């Protein structure tokens, strides 16, 4: 007699969504902010969990070491957290943490801010400040680097783990290497107050350094542009004595000094360069395999009218600010796509947040905010806002997803604007103490922190502000006109 068939039906598996809400909220308390955001994208049920008030109240207290506000105008804890996060990055407070440093009476030409490290140059000197060390009262918080023998022309910061594989460890991965170029024909790599390497090869002053490192593997390459019209590629993994063996390739093609270099967004081996005569070249550095002359690496050329001011790559597009206009170029075809902005009589500064289709230009007495999408079909682009209130040229300009910061050599303060509307959110004096200082020599912004440098006949003033723990918001002035707006353009127009 045949045996009866056994049931093959297996009991349903228990999943995370079968847990009750209290248990899941308790589990989420062990997750980071990034983990909770990823959890919210998994399913609608997990999204409700990730948006629960108890989770975001914890994030609020941990981030700012403050009690969650008792009066939140009916908004959930997540909305309150995000509102404060945005307000801090827009500098909408009157009481940031403030530090001022006074140095010798020389202009600060370049200024960098990364986490708790501050770097600025005066002539041939580089000065480094460990802000944490200063606050802790240590004696070695300040270093002066004097190996360069002529004026410093460019400064960059790169993650230590991208520059070299000699150092390992989680704490070291968060540190940065400073790279400087100089009129003494050299490039230097600095770490912890000393020069790691010196690269020589240009037959004249080194004017510019690439904004990022080329390549995707462990053999990262630095690009430099010189007064001699050449572009040179340096292998940062090399350990040559004077840097000669580090020279990977020399790229010829420009007839004038190379002012600006940028890495393409869609392909990290593509280097975009522009020379003083506004000739743009695109180089495929993956084909540069030796230090011999490499003209064949050039895969694209174009030119723009006017003196180059700045340029920025995003995906396959290149935005070039030169003369009085900003031109978008498709790096795949080298065709000019659109004139994104026209700022008469000439541009003094430029920055962009291409992911939001927004660019900002600085000119004489004002800056302008532009929406790239609105001007795609227009022969005469129009700004969406004018950022008024400046004296003289706007030479310092920073832009990110939250704010625009503008300054100039004839202004006593820097102005802060909402990036989406162009409405002014704050104004920051260069120095809190008495004494006449000039306008903005240099500026650096990192999230909710900003450093400005100004100078006078007596001294240079470096001012650092951190808004992270600020509590006193800027008062809203409903009737004050802070920018001029054009009527919005509907999709049907």
């Amino acid at each position: 007699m045949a045996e009866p068939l056994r049931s093959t039906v297996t009991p349903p598996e228990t999943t995370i969504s079968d847990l009750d809400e209290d248990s899941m909220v308790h589990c989420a308390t062990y997750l980071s902010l990034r983990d909770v955001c990823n959890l919210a994208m998994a399913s609608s049920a997990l999204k409700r969990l990730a948006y629960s008030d108890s989770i975001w109240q914890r994030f609020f207290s941990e981030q700012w070491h403050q009690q969650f506000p008792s009066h939140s105008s009916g908004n959930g804890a997540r909305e309150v957290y995000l509102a404060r996060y945005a307000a801090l990055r827009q500098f909408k407070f009157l009481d940031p943490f403030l530090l001022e440093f006074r140095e010798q009476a020389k202009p600060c030409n370049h200024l960098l801010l990364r986490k708790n490290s501050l770097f600025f140059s005066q002539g041939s000197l580089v000065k480094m400040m460990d802000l944490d060390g200063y606050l802790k009262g240590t004696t070695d918080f300040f270093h002066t680097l004097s190996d360069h023998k002529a004026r410093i022309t460019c400064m960059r910061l790169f993650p230590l783990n991208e520059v070299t594989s000699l150092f390992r460890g989680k704490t070291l991965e968060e540190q940065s290497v400073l790279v400087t170029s100089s009129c003494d024909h050299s490039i230097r790599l600095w770490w912890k107050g000393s020069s790691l390497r010196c690269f020589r090869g240009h037959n004249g002053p080194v004017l510019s350094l690439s904004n990022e490192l080329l390549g995707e593997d462990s053999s990262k390459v630095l690009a430099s542009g010189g007064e001699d019209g050449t572009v040179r590629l340096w292998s940062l993994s090399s350990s040559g004595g004077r840097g000669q063996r580090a020279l990977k390739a020399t790229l010829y093609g420009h007839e004038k000094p190379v002012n600006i270099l940028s890495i393409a967004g869609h392909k990290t081996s593509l280097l975009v360069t522009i020379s003083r005569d506004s000739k743009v070249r695109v180089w495929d550095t993956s084909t540069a395999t030796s230090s011999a002359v490499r003209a064949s690496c050039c895969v694209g050329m174009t030119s723009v009218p006017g003196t180059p001011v700045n340029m920025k790559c995003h995906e396959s597009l290149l935005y070039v600010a030169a003369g009085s206009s900003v031109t978008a170029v498709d790096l795949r075809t080298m065709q000019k796509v659109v004139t994104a902005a026209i700022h008469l009589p000439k541009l003094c500064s430029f920055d962009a947040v291409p992911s939001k289709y927004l660019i900002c230009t600085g000119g004489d007495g004002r800056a302008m905010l532009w929406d790239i999408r609105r001007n795609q079909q227009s022969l005469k682009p129009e700004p969406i806002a004018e950022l008024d209130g400046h004296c003289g040229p706007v030479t310092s300009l920073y832009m990110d997803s939250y704010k625009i910061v503008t300054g100039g050599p004839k202004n006593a303060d820097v102005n802060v604007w909402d990036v989406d509307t162009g409405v002014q959110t704050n104004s920051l004096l260069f120095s809190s103490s008495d004494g006449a200082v000039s306008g903005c020599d240099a500026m650096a912004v990192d999230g909710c922190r900003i450093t400005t440098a100004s100078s006078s006949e007596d001294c240079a003033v470096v001012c650092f502000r951190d808004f992270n723990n600020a509590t006193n918001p800027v008062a809203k002035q409903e009737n004050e006109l802070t920018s001029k707006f054009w009527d919005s353009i509907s999709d049907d127009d």
Side-chain angles (χ1 to χ4, degrees):
M1 186 173 178
E3 295 182 1
L5 294 175
R6 295 181 179 178
S7 174
T8 58
V9 178
T10 58
E13 296 181 354
T14 301
T15 65
I16 188 173
S17 58
D18 293 324
L19 296 174
D20 63 82
E21 185 173 346
D22 291 339
S23 299
M24 294 179 66
V25 168
H26 178 73
C27 293
T29 59
Y30 296 94
L31 300 179
S32 66
L33 178 61
R34 182 183 296 273
D35 293 334
V36 169
C37 293
N38 291 334
L39 188 69
M41 295 185 289
S43 69
S44 57
L46 294 178
K47 181 178 180 179
R48 288 193 298 272
L49 163 70
Y51 282 14
S52 63
D53 285 349
S54 59
I55 293 176
W56 289 91
Q57 288 173 3
R58 174 178 67 87
F59 285 144
F60 189 99
S61 300
E62 290 179 353
Q63 176 70 26
W64 295 299
H65 305 290
Q66 300 176 10
Q67 289 186 350
F68 188 81
S70 57
H71 303 288
S72 54
S73 302
N75 294 323
R78 177 177 174 272
E79 286 71 25
V80 173
Y81 178 98
L82 295 177
R84 175 172 171 80
Y85 184 90
L88 291 173
R89 272 150 184 77
Q90 292 174 332
F91 300 161
K92 289 184 175 181
F93 292 86
L94 298 173
D95 57 340
F97 174 75
L98 176 65
L99 285 177
E100 282 190 8
F101 305 92
R102 293 184 176 268
E103 293 296 317
Q104 58 181 326
K106 289 184 179 180
C108 297
N109 306 113
H110 304 279
L111 185 61
L112 297 176
L113 177 63
R114 178 73 59 85
K115 295 184 177 178
N116 293 314
S117 297
L118 176 64
F119 309 83
F120 62 95
S121 68
Q122 291 182 299
S124 63
L125 301 178
V126 179
K127 300 188 176 182
M128 304 173 55
M129 257 179 229
D130 178 5
L131 298 174
D132 275 347
Y134 173 81
L135 295 175
K136 293 176 181 177
T138 59
T139 57
D140 59 345
F141 73 92
F142 189 88
H143 297 277
T144 298
L145 314 179
S146 57
D147 293 34
H148 280 300
K149 305 307 178 186
R151 179 178 59 88
I152 291 168
T153 57
C154 188
M155 293 176 24
R156 303 290 190 194
L157 284 172
F158 300 114
L160 178 64
N161 60 347
E162 290 188 12
V163 173
T164 179
S165 59
L166 297 177
F167 307 98
R168 296 295 183 188
K170 186 174 182 180
T171 57
L172 294 177
E173 290 178 0
E174 299 177 354
Q175 297 187 25
S176 299
V177 171
L178 175 68
V179 183
T180 58
S181 61
S182 170
C183 288
D184 65 5
H185 306 192
S186 73
I187 300 168
R188 288 187 177 271
L189 275 66
W190 311 84
W191 186 54
K192 286 194 171 181
S194 62
S195 178
L196 288 178
R197 294 176 193 150
C198 178
F199 298 154
R200 295 185 182 273
H202 281 282
N203 300 319
V206 187
L207 301 180
S208 52
L209 301 169
S210 55
N211 61 321
E212 298 177 20
L213 298 178
L214 290 154
E216 297 179 347
D217 54 14
S218 58
S219 300
K220 294 288 187 177
V221 173
L222 172 71
S224 61
E227 185 82 32
D228 56 8
T230 66
V231 177
R232 302 192 185 235
L233 307 180
W234 309 90
S235 174
L236 297 183
S237 60
S238 173
S239 58
R242 294 185 60 193
Q244 289 288 356
R245 281 177 285 176
L247 182 60
K248 182 178 179 181
T250 301
L251 310 179
Y252 289 88
H254 283 295
E255 298 176 354
K256 298 294 181 180
V258 180
N259 285 10
I260 310 169
L261 300 88
S262 185
I263 310 300
H266 68 299
K267 190 176 182 181
T268 57
S269 64
L270 290 183
L271 173 68
V272 186
T273 61
I274 188 168
S275 54
R276 197 167 292 169
D277 57 1
S278 300
K279 301 291 179 63
V280 178
R281 285 179 174 263
V282 181
W283 313 84
D284 187 353
T285 60
S286 63
T287 62
T289 56
S290 71
S291 59
V293 175
R294 290 284 174 177
S296 59
C297 294
C298 184
V299 295
M301 294 183 292
T302 189
S303 62
V304 293
T307 303
V309 174
N310 200 355
M311 66 180 183
K312 194 161 189 174
C313 292
H314 176 68
E315 296 178 349
S316 61
L317 289 179
L318 168 70
Y319 297 92
V320 186
S324 60
S325 63
V326 179
T327 305
V329 178
D330 190 331
L331 294 175
R332 298 166 298 183
T333 62
M334 297 309 296
Q335 297 297 312
K336 296 175 183 178
V337 178
V338 64
T339 299
I342 297 179
H343 195 142
L344 297 173
K346 69 174 184 178
L347 291 171
C348 301
S349 55
F350 161 79
D351 205 351
V353 184
S355 60
K356 300 186 74 167
Y357 303 98
L358 294 174
I359 64 175
C360 190
T361 57
D364 190 10
R366 63 181 178 178
M368 290 187 179
L369 179 62
W370 311 77
D371 188 325
I372 302 168
R373 295 167 295 184
R374 299 189 181 194
N375 297 321
Q376 287 181 345
Q377 305 299 326
S378 175
L379 296 177
K380 185 181 179 182
E382 296 284 352
I384 60 174
E386 291 184 10
L387 316 183
D388 291 327
H390 302 87
C391 298
V394 180
T395 54
S396 297
L397 193 156
Y398 171 85
M399 190 178 189
D400 63 24
S401 298
Y402 294 93
K403 62 186 172 294
I404 301 167
V405 188
T406 57
K410 296 184 179 180
N411 290 274
D413 49 21
V414 291
N415 295 319
V416 188
W417 317 80
D418 186 293
V419 73
D420 293 313
T421 64
V423 173
Q424 188 170 357
T425 61
N426 207 344
S427 183
L428 310 173
L429 289 172
F430 287 121
S431 175
S432 62
S433 58
D434 295 334
V437 295
S438 70
C440 187
D441 292 337
M443 178 175 69
V445 182
D446 180 23
C448 58
R449 302 177 304 165
I450 180 173
T451 302
T452 57
S454 56
S455 58
S456 66
E457 294 181 357
D458 300 324
C459 66
V461 178
V462 178
C463 185
F464 168 79
R465 290 178 171 91
D466 187 348
F467 286 82
N468 188 60
N469 293 311
T471 58
N472 185 14
V474 174
K476 294 183 179 180
Q477 299 180 6
E478 299 292 344
N479 298 325
E480 183 178 2
L481 182 62
T482 53
S483 61
K484 302 175 184 177
F485 293 93
W486 276 253
D487 293 335
S488 61
I489 301 175
S490 66
D491 296 336
D492 298 332
D493 289 346

